Amino acid sequence: KKLISYGFNSVINLNRDFYDDIQKNTTPEYDVLITNPPYSGVHMEKLLDYCSKIAQSGKPFLLLLPHFVYTKDYYQRALSSKVSADVFFLVPEIRYSYFPPTWVEAKSGSKALEQGRIKTAPFPSFWYIFTPTKIMPSRWLVDNFGPSGTVRPKHQSKLRYAKSTEHIPRDFRGEFDPLKKRANPKARKRAAKRRYDAMKASGPGLN
């Protein structure tokens, strides 16, 4: 419904086994792959392996993944060096929060639910994107989002553009990224308050 409201009238969102479709070569015809996959098991590795193949044929993908994925060995294994070099990132100003699955209980792993919230943001996540330059030139990205690595978002979506992993904002870097430096206690406290205020403004359950 969200995509349709933005003018994308041909959207495929079916309850199917995506990996089974890949294996049987029965994936529907599409122009762009947009997905927020499960973060457990080998889902992300299998998805990246598939995306590497479709990127080589010029098909764009937009993947909403955790901040640590680009630091994992499977990220480099799955994506060819050419595709990896062309992937860029759109990073939100504030962490995305999620509705946990129905099987998650407050007493068995969700501090957010335990505290009475209906959403949780256990770690940062952002968009990993590949598009051929003929579809989305880097000049368009700079004009709309500002130069790569800009801290304060220019676009109304509050997304920040990072042309490479070196330009990902510090607070969204993976924990094993050597460029990530731990902020001082005051800065961490301010960041925590911003996250809390953003989650409070995003919906009920935080009073």
Side-chain angles (χ1 to χ4, degrees):
K1 291 181 179 179
K2 194 75 169 178
L3 289 172
I4 290 174
S5 71
Y6 290 141
F8 298 94
N9 296 316
S10 180
V11 179
I12 303 171
N13 183 23
L14 303 175
N15 185 16
R16 300 168 58 129
D17 186 329
F18 179 61
Y19 304 115
D20 187 57
D21 282 347
I22 293 173
Q23 187 175 4
K24 294 178 180 177
N25 197 28
T26 56
T27 53
E29 284 296 320
Y30 64 91
D31 297 309
V32 182
L33 174 64
I34 305 175
T35 185
N36 172 210
Y39 294 165
S40 59
V42 295
H43 284 286
M44 290 182 287
E45 187 169 359
K46 291 169 70 174
L47 175 62
L48 288 168
D49 183 65
Y50 174 73
C51 285
S52 182
K53 293 180 175 65
I54 66 170
Q56 292 176 43
S57 65
K59 285 207 171 185
F61 61 74
L62 294 87
L63 314 177
L64 182 54
L65 301 176
H67 68 320
F68 56 75
V69 169
Y70 73 91
T71 67
K72 296 293 187 180
D73 290 339
Y74 62 70
Y75 182 79
Q76 296 300 332
R77 283 200 309 268
L79 298 182
S80 69
S81 56
K82 183 180 185 306
V83 173
S84 178
D86 289 339
V87 169
F88 64 91
F89 311 92
L90 290 180
V91 184
E93 186 179 30
I94 301 294
R95 286 188 189 191
Y96 288 132
S97 56
Y98 299 88
F99 291 102
T102 54
W103 49 264
V104 174
E105 298 179 358
K107 295 181 179 180
S108 60
S110 176
K111 291 183 178 179
L113 292 181
E114 192 173 359
Q115 295 170 2
R117 305 180 211 166
I118 62 172
K119 294 181 181 179
T120 180
F123 40 70
S125 56
F126 50 82
W127 292 96
Y128 293 59
I129 302 172
F130 168 83
T131 58
T133 53
K134 64 180 180 181
I135 296 177
M136 188 177 292
S138 57
R139 184 71 254 170
W140 183 90
L141 288 163
V142 172
D143 289 345
N144 284 273
F145 294 96
S148 178
T150 299
V151 176
R152 295 192 177 279
K154 173 183 177 182
H155 195 266
Q156 62 181 4
S157 67
K158 301 299 183 182
L159 290 169
R160 297 169 289 180
Y161 166 52
K163 185 178 181 180
S164 65
T165 58
E166 288 81 4
H167 291 172
I168 293 172
R170 184 196 56 76
D171 55 330
F172 274 78
R173 289 185 178 279
E175 296 301 326
F176 295 101
D177 185 333
L179 296 178
K180 184 180 180 72
K181 293 182 180 179
R182 185 172 174 81
N184 62 55
K186 288 185 178 180
R188 295 201 302 272
K189 188 174 181 179
R190 288 195 298 268
K193 186 178 185 304
R194 286 197 300 271
R195 290 195 298 270
Y196 178 82
D197 290 344
M199 289 181 65
K200 188 173 182 180
S202 68
L206 291 171
N207 294 329

